[in-house]
Amino acid sequence: MIEQENTKVVTIRHPLGLHLRKSRDVVQTANQFQSNITVQNLSRSTSPVDVKSILQLMQLQARSGHKLQLNAAGPDAQEALDALCLLFESNNQNAS
Amino acid sequence: MRETFSGLPASPGIGIGLPHVIRPAQISPNTIAAQEPPSTEQNSPETQAEQEWQRFLHAHAQADAELEQLIDTSNPLIADIFSSQRLILHDSTLLEAVRSAIHEQAMDAVAATRHFIAEMEAVFQCMEDEYFASRAVDITDVGNKIIAQLQNPASTKADQSAFGIIEPDTIVIAHSLTPSELFALPRDNVRAVALVEGAPTAHVAILARTLEIPLMCALDSSALDAAEAAQQAIVDGNTGQLLLQPTPEDLEHYSNSRIYLSQQKAAAAQDAHLPALTIDGHYIPICANVNGIHEVLQAFEHGADGIGLLRTEFLYLGSTTPPPADQQQQTLTDIAELCQRHLDQRALGETQGKGDAEAPTEDEPRPLPQHMHRRRVHSAKQSHRLNGSMGPPLTIRLLDAGGDKPLAFMQREVEEANPFLGLRGLRLLLHQPELLQAQLQAVVRTALAGPFRLRLMVPMVTTLNELRTIRTMLQQVIESESAAHGVEPEIQLGVLVEVPALALMADDVAPEVDFLSIGTNDLTQYVLAADRANSMVASLADPLHPSLLQLIRQTCRAGHKAGISISVCGEIASDPTATPLLIGLGVTELSANPPAIPLVKQAVRHCDLLRCRELAEQALHCTSSEAVRKLLTTTQVMQQLYPPTAAVEPTPISPDDSESLR
């Protein structure tokens, strides 16, 4: 398998930001991929944290409108980023 | 021997069953020593660390099973919280930190877990964003679950947690319970709960009401010993009684009572769409507090006579820029149309069912015109004020945001140390006039679009000057907007009385507004200086405290003098047992949560204005909220709406008092 490394910037759309339930969905999605995935909150200039850890994810304090930079390295980096971007940017108040 | 204990009613209903006593501190740290002998000294540090790690993993797995059980047995909303906690439990950061503390710093499993929680708490509590900072609670909760398992490995079955086996038909009697402990109890088996500690306003009581578990609190602690010896117990959550070793007559009485209660509920639902008139014919509109268009529908399904409080914050959520006036107006017009349609149909006596989708039914004798006739006879002044409609069709509250309720697009200039005493409600709007301007435009355009009769409610007003400023601004917007229309919209301007200063100035405020609405939730917090979200002081924040009753009466008197309506839109308006008191204090309308409307209406129907006033007088002479709550158990509403309590000794109030209320 080819090792890839990809980066993408997303904007949080959910009115509550990256709240607990939303973070949970992100972690569960991230854990379906083998790649190492980190994320940093550009709007707060945080350092990168592990997307697969809810405790680290919540330390981003990401609110609606914040820009996050995702970085994935591994065999399924692109797929992981695509799935996560969709989730980060979704604004479904019932599902997440 | 038959014994009764009086406390405070906290969640309505009656439970009959086997008493099960839960003692405080069943999980004692000492039990580890007994069950888990400390590792022997000849073990190498590595072996010892590995043993501790295994012990941690074992406790971790048990905590996981416990959470899984909670998720399976909870409603979706609460299950969500637990499933997030489960993710924290499995977080790689947590596992790695604990493993390293055990292996590299030679801590035992409990110390390692505590160390990690303390570290995480420190990180989260320092966060500037309050939402994320407050998630420290979830981390603590998860850590405590692991520690509880480490210290008490005997409790292997998650559903029994630390409380022993809860048999079917159990009455749980405990010193105190946290909301998650109440939640962890097997719901199908628990018939009722009685607590020594706790208050009707505590979180555990709110949860009990949501789960429909009868609950009484403020029980004498001697009841724990007595209950241990008893074979059978009855909790009356309506009057706040615990009955041990009931006689066969008691049992028959309370079984009948239980049936009576469910019949009352069904009857209330059936009459929900009829107006609520007191015995002596006064019409009390029961309106709804809502958050958006879906809740407006729900409100009318539950028989609301109008919308007493439309919170407009939902218009702002989800946008990163302030929504323009036109966008707000579209949503508000949709809501206003919906309200108008429902209330028009109701006024014509056409809707017997659940909404506009249903065709009018012909088989009912149409009792509505008769009621409305009675209303005209007995309460001409009110019906005149209502202008032929069933109630105020729609009351729109201006944006009520602030440090405690932040909005995405609002950059806070300074971090407020005290958001509840800071820039919130009208203060924020006056500080950001473009926000206020857009919302006033949206409201005025909505009123013109129908045309609809609207009420505009201003939150967090403190001074008369603020009120005059907003009135001037509204007038300016009305003039500029109606120039094109050629007509002036019908908008009533009123204030949400929630700052004590405004209630104290009610005599000066009332002549300058078209209506008053008392926001008892915030008013209570401000008067009693207690945050109801803080469990350490929540029991102080009781809206039935006599000090609040004084302020409500003062506000009502000012409103009556000015000839305007006075509504209550706090939590207390949803409590049918408080209805006679509020009416007696002079409140002319109530605005409740939609599901509470049928029973509140039913409560009104058992009220007699003169008796309610006597009740209010007595309550004003009480010296504590407990005394007021006791007094409320003696009202006509309690006698009629809730089953008779003849089998139990009456609550200790003076015979004269109880006589006048019957």
Side-chain angles (χ1 to χ4, degrees):
Chain A
M1 261 196 250
I2 314 149
E3 289 285 314
Q4 335 165 359
E5 183 162 349
N6 288 303
T7 299
K8 212 163 179 178
V9 175
V10 292
T11 308
I12 298 290
R13 298 264 171 244
H14 194 281
L16 295 176
L18 197 53
H19 63 294
L20 192 62
R21 280 180 287 157
K22 183 95 176 167
S23 304
R24 182 195 65 201
D25 296 342
V26 167
V27 171
Q28 283 169 347
T29 306
N31 274 313
Q32 294 165 10
F33 298 98
Q34 294 172 34
S35 300
N36 283 323
I37 315 164
T38 62
V39 59
Q40 63 191 110
N41 187 345
L42 299 177
S43 306
R44 283 191 197 270
S45 335
T46 65
S47 44
V49 301
D50 184 357
V51 180
K52 296 180 183 177
S53 163
I54 193 168
L55 291 174
Q56 293 190 31
L57 210 51
M58 283 198 295
Q59 291 178 35
L60 294 178
Q61 303 177 69
R63 279 296 184 180
S64 185
H66 281 185
K67 289 202 183 323
L68 306 187
Q69 180 173 309
L70 284 157
N71 187 79
D76 47 9
Q78 188 56 49
E79 292 88 330
L81 281 191
D82 289 345
L84 286 171
C85 284
L86 216 62
L87 200 53
F88 272 120
E89 292 196 314
S90 82
N91 182 16
N92 188 336
Q93 298 193 35
N94 296 321
S96 50
Chain B
M1 190 193 76
R2 181 184 185 274
E3 263 185 294
T4 62
F5 295 87
S6 290
L8 291 174
S11 172
I14 285 164
I16 305 173
L18 191 77
H20 179 97
V21 178
I22 296 171
R23 293 282 178 180
Q26 279 197 344
I27 306 170
S28 118
N30 302 333
T31 50
I32 337 161
Q35 284 158 351
E36 199 77 10
S39 310
T40 43
E41 280 165 26
Q42 51 264 48
N43 275 349
S44 70
E46 291 80 30
T47 334
Q48 213 171 321
E50 191 49 37
Q51 277 177 355
E52 277 305 306
W53 176 237
Q54 288 306 322
R55 211 160 74 80
F56 172 83
L57 287 180
H58 185 62
H60 185 268
Q62 285 181 326
D64 187 46
E66 186 186 332
L67 278 171
E68 191 180 5
Q69 170 92 20
L70 287 173
I71 293 165
D72 288 348
T73 52
S74 309
N75 77 42
L77 211 66
I78 302 168
D80 240 10
I81 300 172
F82 291 126
S83 91
S84 301
Q85 289 195 354
R86 199 165 175 215
L87 209 62
I88 294 177
L89 185 74
H90 287 280
D91 195 283
S92 53
T93 316
L94 182 152
L95 293 170
E96 183 45 41
V98 171
R99 202 200 55 78
S100 127
I102 290 175
H103 277 99
E104 275 136 48
Q105 295 172 55
M107 288 193 195
D108 67 27
V110 173
T113 311
R114 285 223 170 98
H115 179 74
F116 175 77
I117 297 172
E119 227 168 44
M120 273 294 142
E121 275 174 349
V123 170
F124 273 74
Q125 278 162 3
C126 288
M127 288 183 178
E128 52 190 75
D129 190 308
E130 276 173 46
Y131 170 81
F132 292 100
S134 60
R135 298 281 64 76
V137 181
D138 290 295
I139 301 169
T140 313
D141 214 2
V142 169
N144 286 343
K145 283 194 166 72
I146 303 175
I147 291 171
Q149 291 294 345
L150 282 167
Q151 295 185 331
N152 191 14
S155 69
T156 44
K157 284 194 80 179
D159 57 338
Q160 274 119 43
S161 57
F163 300 148
I165 296 163
I166 307 284
E167 306 274 3
D169 293 325
T170 292
I171 304 291
V172 170
I173 299 154
H175 194 262
S176 65
L177 283 182
T178 65
S180 64
E181 283 170 337
L182 176 65
F183 209 82
L185 294 171
R187 190 143 5 123
D188 292 340
N189 292 355
V190 175
R191 290 281 161 263
V193 176
L195 300 177
V196 173
E197 282 190 350
T201 50
H203 275 155
V204 65
I206 294 168
L207 184 64
R209 290 195 286 269
T210 314
L211 301 176
E212 297 187 2
I213 298 175
L215 174 73
M216 66 157 300
C217 57
L219 187 63
D220 192 272
S221 55
S222 66
L224 293 181
D225 288 330
E228 229 150 40
Q231 299 299 311
Q232 205 161 25
I234 297 174
V235 166
D236 183 343
N238 306 313
T239 58
Q241 304 272 348
L242 170 68
L243 183 56
L244 297 173
Q245 295 296 78
T247 62
E249 291 78 35
D250 290 329
L251 285 171
E252 193 191 336
H253 168 77
Y254 276 103
S255 314
N256 290 339
S257 295
R258 250 196 334 208
I259 298 165
Y260 184 90
L261 270 182
S262 55
Q263 285 170 345
Q264 283 294 326
K265 237 178 158 175
Q270 209 165 18
D271 288 347
H273 294 267
L274 300 177
L277 290 111
T278 61
I279 296 169
D280 44 349
H282 293 272
Y283 169 53
I284 309 286
I286 308 300
C287 304
N289 300 338
V290 296
N291 282 307
I293 200 154
H294 297 290
E295 288 188 16
V296 172
L297 279 171
Q298 190 198 10
F300 288 116
E301 276 170 17
H302 284 98
D305 295 324
I307 302 301
L309 166 61
L310 171 70
R311 304 183 181 98
T312 53
E313 291 74 66
F314 77 95
L315 293 169
Y316 295 79
L317 291 174
S319 42
T320 48
T321 52
D326 283 338
Q327 191 184 320
Q328 295 188 44
Q329 186 229 318
Q330 273 173 15
T331 315
L332 290 178
T333 306
D334 286 349
I335 291 176
E337 245 164 37
L338 194 67
C339 295
Q340 197 71 52
R341 204 165 63 227
H342 271 271
L343 294 170
D344 283 351
Q345 285 178 346
R346 281 265 303 278
L348 291 168
E350 278 180 5
T351 39
Q352 310 275 342
K354 285 181 188 125
D356 56 342
E358 277 184 28
T361 46
E362 295 298 327
D363 50 333
E364 290 274 339
R366 298 201 178 187
L368 191 63
Q370 187 201 339
H371 279 281
M372 294 188 63
H373 174 68
R374 271 172 67 192
R375 189 183 87 203
R376 272 200 295 278
V377 170
H378 294 283
S379 181
K381 195 181 165 205
Q382 270 182 347
S383 64
H384 167 71
R385 197 186 306 135
L386 291 161
N387 201 14
S389 158
M390 304 289 295
L394 177 58
T395 310
I396 300 171
R397 184 176 72 182
L398 286 176
L399 175 66
D400 194 6
D404 54 311
K405 282 187 271 182
L407 291 174
F409 55 84
M410 247 175 239
Q411 294 300 321
R412 269 177 285 170
E413 292 155 31
V414 276
E415 198 66 31
E416 292 178 321
N418 236 328
F420 269 102
L421 303 181
L423 199 61
R424 68 195 292 258
L426 178 64
R427 300 168 180 186
L428 180 82
L429 290 171
L430 291 175
H431 187 70
Q432 303 207 7
E434 66 288 348
L435 267 183
L436 179 54
Q437 185 75 13
Q439 197 166 30
L440 290 177
Q441 278 173 348
V443 171
V444 171
R445 286 176 198 167
T446 302
L448 287 167
F452 300 113
R453 289 192 313 121
L454 297 181
R455 280 181 173 183
L456 183 62
M457 184 201 279
V458 190
M460 201 66 194
V461 179
T462 315
T463 67
L464 275 168
N465 269 342
E466 288 174 334
L467 176 60
R468 288 171 188 156
T469 308
I470 187 89
R471 187 175 279 289
T472 309
M473 290 183 73
L474 176 65
Q475 198 49 46
Q476 283 166 357
V477 175
I478 287 178
E479 277 161 23
S480 64
E481 292 291 326
S482 24
H485 282 76
V487 279
E488 290 245 325
E490 222 185 311
I491 300 177
Q492 298 189 339
L493 184 69
V495 286
L496 185 57
V497 181
E498 50 188 342
V499 177
L502 200 72
L504 291 164
M505 297 283 285
D507 278 328
D508 301 296
V509 175
E512 299 201 17
V513 293
D514 302 312
F515 67 94
L516 290 167
S517 184
I518 308 176
T520 46
N521 293 356
D522 276 345
L523 187 62
T524 303
Q525 302 201 89
Y526 289 137
V527 168
L528 294 160
D531 178 358
R532 53 187 196 128
N534 178 345
S535 62
M536 307 295 284
V537 296
S539 63
L540 284 173
D542 192 326
L544 290 179
H545 191 271
S547 58
L548 262 302
L549 305 184
Q550 296 280 4
L551 280 182
I552 294 174
R553 186 173 62 166
Q554 194 170 336
T555 308
C556 289
R557 282 189 169 169
H560 291 310
K561 232 184 285 169
I564 56 175
S565 68
I566 308 104
S567 166
V568 166
C569 63
E571 239 352 85
I572 196 70
S574 301
D575 179 356
T577 62
T579 305
L581 175 57
L582 294 175
I583 293 176
L585 289 167
V587 173
T588 59
E589 286 173 26
L590 295 170
S591 193
N593 301 326
I597 290 171
L599 268 183
V600 172
K601 282 194 166 184
Q602 208 70 337
V604 170
R605 295 180 184 122
H606 295 301
C607 285
D608 174 309
L609 199 56
L610 279 180
R611 286 193 179 173
C612 287
R613 285 184 186 145
E614 287 168 20
L615 174 76
E617 274 315 310
Q618 290 176 332
L620 285 162
H621 283 98
C622 288
T623 49
S624 67
S625 39
E626 289 80 7
V628 175
R629 285 185 185 272
K630 273 252 159 82
L631 184 67
L632 291 187
T633 62
T634 65
T635 63
Q636 189 79 12
V637 168
M638 283 302 296
Q639 316 288 322
Q640 299 292 327
L641 205 53
Y642 297 101
T645 51
V648 185
E649 294 88 52
T651 37
I653 53 165
S654 76
D656 300 357
D657 290 353
S658 52
E659 207 43 57
S660 66
L661 290 162
R662 264 162 226 273

Short mmCIF file of all heavy atoms in Angstrom, two decimals, chain A residues 15-44:
data_model
loop_
_atom_site.label_atom_id
_atom_site.label_comp_id
_atom_site.label_asym_id
_atom_site.label_seq_id
_atom_site.Cartn_x
_atom_site.Cartn_y
_atom_site.Cartn_z
N PRO A 15 -23.77 24.91 14.91
CA PRO A 15 -23.89 26.07 15.80
C PRO A 15 -23.24 25.88 17.16
O PRO A 15 -22.80 26.85 17.77
CB PRO A 15 -25.40 26.27 15.93
CG PRO A 15 -26.04 25.04 15.39
CD PRO A 15 -25.08 24.48 14.39
N LEU A 16 -23.20 24.66 17.64
CA LEU A 16 -22.61 24.44 18.96
C LEU A 16 -21.11 24.19 18.87
O LEU A 16 -20.46 23.97 19.87
CB LEU A 16 -23.28 23.25 19.65
CG LEU A 16 -24.75 23.42 20.00
CD1 LEU A 16 -25.31 22.14 20.58
CD2 LEU A 16 -24.93 24.57 20.97
N GLY A 17 -20.58 24.21 17.66
CA GLY A 17 -19.15 23.94 17.52
C GLY A 17 -18.87 22.45 17.62
O GLY A 17 -19.76 21.62 17.43
N LEU A 18 -17.63 22.13 17.95
CA LEU A 18 -17.23 20.72 18.06
C LEU A 18 -17.55 20.26 19.48
O LEU A 18 -16.66 20.07 20.29
CB LEU A 18 -15.73 20.62 17.75
CG LEU A 18 -15.17 19.25 17.42
CD1 LEU A 18 -15.95 18.61 16.29
CD2 LEU A 18 -13.72 19.37 17.03
N HIS A 19 -18.86 20.13 19.77
CA HIS A 19 -19.26 19.78 21.12
C HIS A 19 -19.10 18.29 21.35
O HIS A 19 -18.70 17.54 20.46
CB HIS A 19 -20.68 20.25 21.39
CG HIS A 19 -21.70 19.59 20.51
ND1 HIS A 19 -21.72 19.79 19.16
CD2 HIS A 19 -22.69 18.73 20.78
CE1 HIS A 19 -22.71 19.08 18.64
NE2 HIS A 19 -23.31 18.44 19.60
N LEU A 20 -19.46 17.88 22.57
CA LEU A 20 -19.17 16.51 22.99
C LEU A 20 -19.68 15.44 22.02
O LEU A 20 -18.96 14.55 21.62
CB LEU A 20 -19.76 16.30 24.39
CG LEU A 20 -19.34 15.04 25.14
CD1 LEU A 20 -17.85 15.03 25.37
CD2 LEU A 20 -20.06 14.95 26.48
N ARG A 21 -20.95 15.56 21.64
CA ARG A 21 -21.52 14.51 20.80
C ARG A 21 -20.90 14.51 19.40
O ARG A 21 -20.67 13.47 18.81
CB ARG A 21 -23.04 14.67 20.71
CG ARG A 21 -23.74 14.12 21.93
CD ARG A 21 -25.23 14.30 21.80
NE ARG A 21 -25.59 15.70 21.99
CZ ARG A 21 -26.71 16.24 21.50
NH1 ARG A 21 -27.53 15.52 20.78
NH2 ARG A 21 -26.98 17.49 21.74
N LYS A 22 -20.66 15.72 18.93
CA LYS A 22 -20.04 15.85 17.61
C LYS A 22 -18.62 15.25 17.65
O LYS A 22 -18.22 14.51 16.76
CB LYS A 22 -19.99 17.33 17.25
CG LYS A 22 -19.44 17.62 15.89
CD LYS A 22 -20.56 17.75 14.90
CE LYS A 22 -20.02 18.13 13.53
NZ LYS A 22 -21.04 17.95 12.53
N SER A 23 -17.89 15.57 18.71
CA SER A 23 -16.54 15.04 18.86
C SER A 23 -16.57 13.51 18.87
O SER A 23 -15.70 12.86 18.30
CB SER A 23 -15.91 15.52 20.16
OG SER A 23 -15.91 16.90 20.22
N ARG A 24 -17.59 12.99 19.53
CA ARG A 24 -17.71 11.54 19.61
C ARG A 24 -17.84 10.94 18.21
O ARG A 24 -17.16 9.97 17.87
CB ARG A 24 -18.94 11.18 20.44
CG ARG A 24 -19.14 9.71 20.64
CD ARG A 24 -20.52 9.42 21.14
NE ARG A 24 -21.52 9.80 20.14
CZ ARG A 24 -22.79 10.05 20.42
NH1 ARG A 24 -23.22 10.01 21.66
NH2 ARG A 24 -23.62 10.37 19.46
N ASP A 25 -18.68 11.55 17.38
CA ASP A 25 -18.84 11.04 16.02
C ASP A 25 -17.54 11.13 15.24
O ASP A 25 -17.19 10.23 14.47
CB ASP A 25 -19.94 11.84 15.29
CG ASP A 25 -21.29 11.65 15.96
OD1 ASP A 25 -21.43 10.68 16.72
OD2 ASP A 25 -22.20 12.46 15.71
N VAL A 26 -16.80 12.22 15.46
CA VAL A 26 -15.53 12.40 14.76
C VAL A 26 -14.55 11.30 15.16
O VAL A 26 -13.92 10.66 14.31
CB VAL A 26 -14.94 13.80 15.06
CG1 VAL A 26 -13.50 13.89 14.60
CG2 VAL A 26 -15.79 14.88 14.40
N VAL A 27 -14.45 11.06 16.48
CA VAL A 27 -13.51 10.04 16.96
C VAL A 27 -13.88 8.67 16.41
O VAL A 27 -13.02 7.91 15.94
CB VAL A 27 -13.48 10.02 18.51
CG1 VAL A 27 -12.68 8.83 19.01
CG2 VAL A 27 -12.90 11.32 19.04
N GLN A 28 -15.18 8.38 16.44
CA GLN A 28 -15.60 7.05 15.96
C GLN A 28 -15.30 6.89 14.47
O GLN A 28 -14.89 5.81 14.04
CB GLN A 28 -17.09 6.84 16.26
CG GLN A 28 -17.29 6.50 17.73
CD GLN A 28 -18.74 6.53 18.17
OE1 GLN A 28 -19.60 7.03 17.46
NE2 GLN A 28 -19.01 6.01 19.36
N THR A 29 -15.48 7.95 13.72
CA THR A 29 -15.16 7.88 12.29
C THR A 29 -13.65 7.72 12.09
O THR A 29 -13.20 6.88 11.32
CB THR A 29 -15.66 9.15 11.57
OG1 THR A 29 -17.03 9.31 11.86
CG2 THR A 29 -15.45 9.06 10.07
N ALA A 30 -12.89 8.53 12.81
CA ALA A 30 -11.43 8.51 12.65
C ALA A 30 -10.86 7.13 12.95
O ALA A 30 -9.93 6.66 12.30
CB ALA A 30 -10.78 9.56 13.55
N ASN A 31 -11.47 6.46 13.93
CA ASN A 31 -10.95 5.15 14.34
C ASN A 31 -11.20 4.06 13.31
O ASN A 31 -10.67 2.96 13.43
CB ASN A 31 -11.55 4.76 15.70
CG ASN A 31 -10.72 5.33 16.84
OD1 ASN A 31 -9.49 5.23 16.84
ND2 ASN A 31 -11.38 5.95 17.80
N GLN A 32 -12.01 4.37 12.28
CA GLN A 32 -12.21 3.38 11.23
C GLN A 32 -11.05 3.38 10.23
O GLN A 32 -11.01 2.56 9.32
CB GLN A 32 -13.52 3.67 10.49
CG GLN A 32 -14.74 3.47 11.37
CD GLN A 32 -15.98 4.10 10.77
OE1 GLN A 32 -15.98 4.52 9.63
NE2 GLN A 32 -17.04 4.16 11.56
N PHE A 33 -10.14 4.33 10.38
CA PHE A 33 -9.03 4.43 9.44
C PHE A 33 -7.70 4.12 10.13
O PHE A 33 -7.54 4.35 11.33
CB PHE A 33 -8.99 5.84 8.82
CG PHE A 33 -10.24 6.16 8.04
CD1 PHE A 33 -11.27 6.89 8.61
CD2 PHE A 33 -10.39 5.69 6.74
CE1 PHE A 33 -12.42 7.17 7.91
CE2 PHE A 33 -11.56 5.96 6.02
CZ PHE A 33 -12.57 6.71 6.61
N GLN A 34 -6.78 3.60 9.31
CA GLN A 34 -5.48 3.24 9.88
C GLN A 34 -4.54 4.42 10.00
O GLN A 34 -3.62 4.42 10.81
CB GLN A 34 -4.78 2.21 8.96
CG GLN A 34 -5.47 0.88 8.88
CD GLN A 34 -4.82 0.01 7.81
OE1 GLN A 34 -3.60 0.08 7.61
NE2 GLN A 34 -5.61 -0.77 7.12
N SER A 35 -4.75 5.43 9.17
CA SER A 35 -3.82 6.56 9.12
C SER A 35 -3.72 7.28 10.46
O SER A 35 -4.65 7.25 11.26
CB SER A 35 -4.29 7.56 8.07
OG SER A 35 -4.33 6.96 6.81
N ASN A 36 -2.56 7.89 10.65
CA ASN A 36 -2.43 8.81 11.77
C ASN A 36 -3.06 10.13 11.35
O ASN A 36 -2.69 10.69 10.32
CB ASN A 36 -0.95 9.06 12.09
CG ASN A 36 -0.37 7.88 12.85
OD1 ASN A 36 -1.05 7.27 13.67
ND2 ASN A 36 0.88 7.56 12.55
N ILE A 37 -4.00 10.61 12.15
CA ILE A 37 -4.68 11.85 11.76
C ILE A 37 -4.56 12.86 12.90
O ILE A 37 -4.87 12.54 14.05
CB ILE A 37 -6.18 11.60 11.48
CG1 ILE A 37 -6.36 10.34 10.63
CG2 ILE A 37 -6.81 12.80 10.79
CD1 ILE A 37 -7.78 9.80 10.63
N THR A 38 -4.08 14.04 12.55
CA THR A 38 -4.03 15.10 13.56
C THR A 38 -4.86 16.27 13.09
O THR A 38 -5.17 16.40 11.91
CB THR A 38 -2.59 15.59 13.80
OG1 THR A 38 -2.09 16.14 12.59
CG2 THR A 38 -1.68 14.48 14.27
N VAL A 39 -5.21 17.13 14.04
CA VAL A 39 -5.99 18.32 13.71
C VAL A 39 -5.55 19.46 14.61
O VAL A 39 -5.20 19.25 15.77
CB VAL A 39 -7.51 18.04 13.85
CG1 VAL A 39 -7.87 17.62 15.26
CG2 VAL A 39 -8.33 19.24 13.43
N GLN A 40 -5.52 20.66 14.04
CA GLN A 40 -5.25 21.83 14.87
C GLN A 40 -6.25 22.92 14.57
O GLN A 40 -6.78 23.01 13.47
CB GLN A 40 -3.80 22.32 14.69
CG GLN A 40 -3.45 22.80 13.30
CD GLN A 40 -1.96 23.01 13.16
OE1 GLN A 40 -1.27 22.27 12.46
NE2 GLN A 40 -1.47 24.03 13.84
N ASN A 41 -6.52 23.72 15.58
CA ASN A 41 -7.49 24.80 15.43
C ASN A 41 -6.75 26.06 15.02
O ASN A 41 -6.07 26.69 15.83
CB ASN A 41 -8.24 25.01 16.77
CG ASN A 41 -9.38 26.00 16.63
OD1 ASN A 41 -9.47 26.73 15.65
ND2 ASN A 41 -10.28 26.00 17.61
N LEU A 42 -6.88 26.41 13.74
CA LEU A 42 -6.16 27.58 13.22
C LEU A 42 -6.69 28.87 13.86
O LEU A 42 -5.94 29.81 14.09
CB LEU A 42 -6.30 27.66 11.70
CG LEU A 42 -5.74 26.46 10.92
CD1 LEU A 42 -6.00 26.63 9.42
CD2 LEU A 42 -4.25 26.27 11.17
N SER A 43 -8.00 28.87 14.16
CA SER A 43 -8.59 30.09 14.72
C SER A 43 -8.10 30.37 16.13
O SER A 43 -8.18 31.48 16.62
CB SER A 43 -10.12 29.98 14.73
OG SER A 43 -10.59 29.67 13.43
N ARG A 44 -7.65 29.34 16.82
CA ARG A 44 -7.11 29.54 18.16
C ARG A 44 -5.60 29.30 18.21
O ARG A 44 -5.01 29.31 19.29
CB ARG A 44 -7.78 28.60 19.16
CG ARG A 44 -9.17 29.00 19.59
CD ARG A 44 -9.62 28.15 20.79
NE ARG A 44 -11.07 28.21 21.00
CZ ARG A 44 -11.65 29.13 21.78
NH1 ARG A 44 -10.93 30.00 22.42
NH2 ARG A 44 -12.96 29.11 21.93
#
